[in-house]
Amino acid sequence: MSDDGDHKLRVSKIRSGTVIDHVPGGQALNVLAILGIDGSKGEEISVGMNVPSDRFARKDIVKVEGRELSQDEVDVLSLIAPDATINIVRDYDVIEKHRVERPDVVEGVLSCPNAGCISTGDEPVSSTFEVFDDAVRCSYCGTIVREEIASLIDT
Amino acid sequence: MRHDHVITSKQLSRSDIETVLDRAAEIRDDPTAVADRHAGALLGLLFFEPSTRTKMSFETAMKRLGGDVVDMGSVESSSVKKGETLADTVRVIEGYADALVLRHPKQGAATMASEFVDVPLLNAGDGAGQHPTQTLLDLYTIRENAGLEDLTIGIMGDLKYGRTVHSLAYALSNFDAHQHFISPESLRLPREVVYDLHQEQERAQVREHESLEEILPSLDVLYVTRIQRERFPDETEYQKIAGEYQIGVDTLEAASDDLTVMHPLPRVDEIAPEVDETEHAAYFEQAHNGVPVRMALLDLLLGDEGGEDDE
């Protein structure tokens, strides 16, 4: 069975918007959290979790109707879904397809795990992390996080 | 030296450090030459944590340059008590002063505060982060006593939370220093600092130890820091661990005659009072060096408003 055929069974096609594919199994809700999409603005969102995949044993897929996500918006997904592919859809056709790229810095997305860091208080600053190949680093206190970056997502 | 702010010792190059230390030596030799150099200038002191040496030596330094200080006072008596953010506090006080000195319990506080002000901001300690002006006076003391070239230094005690240690380690990576870090397992250097020092691998030569004994004879300088009681779950554990990192006259029998013993102070019982009388002790001299070094730093940051500088 083809990969695409498999999706059709579980997640309906969207007319126009963004499809985020090849997300590691179990990370779909973190993808939405990073993008700040929680459905409260009435967005039509379809989520497929742990669907069989050719590339991964299981993958997640997220479809957001009516919103074309920019490269900057999706690049931050590289922290938890480095192999994700982004499909921009218009009138049921994929008009653009690209991968996420690792940004140099992410702002306002993660919260520092160091309780003694100034960025965790009430100051008027966004958390800022430098992004390395295998880790992120708080620009304020210097804390380096290598594992479980998803747990730092500021929801 | 051209920095608007002094936030971390990582930002200081070897040339920056030498500029400050050379200027400090000139000032120490002839303090009257700069007595009116910054007349009328005001230094804002924002200490959100207790301080004796750092605060008083900044105040002394500014006054010996002809300037004066405005002091926020204790947190208890300030607007901070009413819930004001640090960002707002520094934005207000920069309107009163020509430079600011900030000590704050949160790591990264000086970095954040510097984003909100245009006057020079000096980090006088940010939680377990950095204390770069202490490092400059430490380096001055090392240069006077042992020299910074081909230095072998042991840094001992609370390396995890000790901000003076973190700043000193970064600064020493500018020199060909062999750095030995001696601490209990639970108080080793933070992995961030180790990571950074390894980034400087070509210059930094870093080793970690649990015991002083094996490396003491090879040291030119032993930098001792206080192991704090509150870092341990119970008193017995603290007494057991802290006792292993105390220095007495007998400990130093195995050391070189030229060993310089330093401590950022305050000490509790990690260096026995008898050591004060030996040729090794340099910690009071180290504390006194805070004045000429901070005078030099302020002079360089405040620029030539005194009209005599050639820079």
Side-chain angles (χ1 to χ4, degrees):
Chain A
M1 186 185 289
S2 78
D3 211 15
D4 281 348
D6 195 49
H7 299 159
K8 282 173 192 162
L9 295 175
R10 294 175 172 82
V11 186
S12 62
K13 273 197 165 187
I14 60 171
R15 177 174 179 155
S16 295
T18 307
V19 176
I20 304 163
D21 201 354
H22 301 110
V23 173
Q27 293 292 337
L29 297 181
N30 284 329
V31 164
L32 288 169
I34 282 187
L35 296 173
I37 297 171
D38 60 6
S40 62
K41 296 191 182 76
E43 307 99 324
E44 203 174 300
I45 303 156
S46 309
V47 174
M49 294 183 79
N50 294 318
V51 298
S53 159
D54 290 343
R55 200 181 299 177
F56 305 119
R58 297 275 170 178
K59 69 171 183 180
D60 287 3
I61 182 164
V62 175
K63 301 187 179 189
V64 183
E65 180 76 52
R67 189 166 156 194
E68 294 184 9
L69 296 167
S70 69
Q71 185 77 41
D72 283 350
E73 280 181 289
V74 296
D75 278 349
V76 69
L77 297 178
S78 65
L79 298 177
I80 58 162
D83 296 314
T85 50
I86 309 300
N87 302 282
I88 304 296
V89 180
R90 283 184 202 157
D91 288 329
Y92 300 106
D93 286 332
V94 174
I95 57 134
E96 219 178 278
K97 187 166 189 150
H98 51 92
R99 289 182 160 276
V100 293
E101 290 168 15
R102 219 151 166 85
D104 295 331
V105 173
V106 291
E107 269 188 55
V109 174
L110 307 174
S111 61
C112 184
N114 174 8
C117 174
I118 191 76
S119 72
T120 62
D122 297 326
E123 298 297 333
V125 288
S126 297
S127 71
T128 308
F129 283 79
E130 287 173 75
V131 180
F132 302 152
D133 286 344
D134 61 343
V136 293
R137 178 173 206 170
C138 175
S139 300
Y140 289 102
C141 72
T143 295
I144 295 175
V145 181
R146 288 205 158 76
E147 293 97 28
E148 298 192 18
I149 290 171
S151 68
L152 306 183
I153 295 167
D154 198 1
T155 52
Chain B
M1 182 172 147
R2 270 285 160 260
H3 292 294
D4 293 333
H5 308 297
V6 179
I7 305 298
T8 154
S9 67
K10 267 194 278 188
Q11 77 183 85
L12 300 174
S13 68
R14 181 177 176 136
S15 159
D16 290 336
I17 292 166
E18 287 172 342
T19 300
V20 176
L21 304 194
D22 291 347
R23 185 77 178 123
E26 286 171 16
I27 288 172
R28 193 198 51 187
D29 290 345
D30 186 8
T32 56
V34 291
D36 294 316
R37 218 175 117 61
H38 294 284
L42 284 175
L43 181 66
L45 303 178
L46 297 91
F47 281 73
F48 291 76
E49 274 187 334
S51 167
T52 304
R53 277 152 297 280
T54 304
K55 189 173 174 179
M56 286 187 72
S57 72
F58 263 117
E59 189 167 351
T60 307
M62 194 60 189
K63 288 180 175 175
R64 288 201 185 282
L65 288 168
D68 208 340
V69 298
V70 282
D71 187 350
M72 180 187 83
S74 73
V75 168
E76 294 303 309
S77 63
S78 73
S79 309
V80 177
K81 191 74 180 164
K82 299 174 188 164
E84 186 173 60
T85 61
L86 174 61
D88 279 2
T89 304
V90 293
R91 271 184 289 195
V92 169
I93 297 181
E94 82 160 326
Y96 308 156
D98 300 292
L100 302 178
V101 179
L102 173 68
R103 170 169 291 183
H104 197 277
K106 291 278 190 180
Q107 226 170 315
T111 303
M112 189 217 71
S114 70
E115 294 172 4
F116 291 90
V117 297
D118 292 324
V119 300
L121 185 138
L122 295 98
N123 182 7
D126 61 328
Q130 292 261 321
H131 195 352
T133 68
Q134 173 74 40
T135 289
L136 288 166
L137 73 91
D138 291 343
L139 294 172
Y140 185 85
T141 309
I142 293 170
R143 192 170 81 166
E144 293 282 299
N145 285 274
L148 284 163
E149 300 301 328
D150 198 26
L151 175 75
T152 300
I153 184 170
I155 302 179
M156 183 169 85
D158 182 350
L159 310 183
K160 185 174 181 180
Y161 299 99
R163 56 193 172 204
T164 62
V165 170
H166 308 159
S167 283
L168 181 59
Y170 287 134
L172 284 170
S173 67
N174 282 296
F175 300 87
D176 295 324
H178 297 257
Q179 299 193 60
H180 296 273
F181 294 95
I182 309 119
S183 72
E185 172 72 25
S186 61
L187 295 177
R188 287 173 64 176
L189 274 182
R191 60 181 177 165
E192 288 76 20
V193 177
V194 175
Y195 172 87
D196 288 331
L197 293 175
H198 285 157
Q199 292 292 302
E200 301 283 339
Q201 187 68 48
E202 276 187 343
R203 282 172 295 181
Q205 301 169 71
V206 174
R207 301 277 182 278
E208 293 181 276
H209 311 262
E210 281 193 46
S211 162
L212 173 64
E213 202 178 351
E214 58 186 293
I215 46 111
L216 179 61
S218 67
L219 300 181
D220 301 310
V221 173
L222 176 60
Y223 189 99
V224 183
T225 65
R226 184 159 51 102
I227 293 180
Q228 295 182 48
R229 207 169 291 256
E230 58 265 32
R231 305 294 180 213
F232 291 88
D234 63 68
E235 179 70 19
T236 319
E237 180 74 3
Y238 163 73
Q239 292 292 353
K240 179 167 162 272
I241 299 278
E244 292 173 25
Y245 297 91
Q246 286 168 351
I247 301 296
V249 172
D250 52 342
T251 321
L252 297 177
E253 283 172 6
S256 147
D257 290 344
D258 296 330
L259 175 75
T260 299
V261 177
M262 296 172 60
H263 191 303
L265 303 179
R267 69 172 155 177
V268 180
D269 51 11
E270 53 276 16
I271 300 179
E274 296 73 39
V275 177
D276 303 356
E277 308 307 320
T278 70
E279 292 289 316
H280 299 297
Y283 26 91
F284 292 112
E285 171 195 339
Q286 181 186 354
H288 297 160
N289 287 337
V291 174
V293 169
R294 290 186 169 111
M295 286 172 77
L297 189 57
L298 288 169
D299 186 37
L300 291 161
L301 288 169
L302 291 169
D304 61 356
E305 63 199 56
E308 295 166 21
D309 202 352
D310 56 2
E311 283 187 62

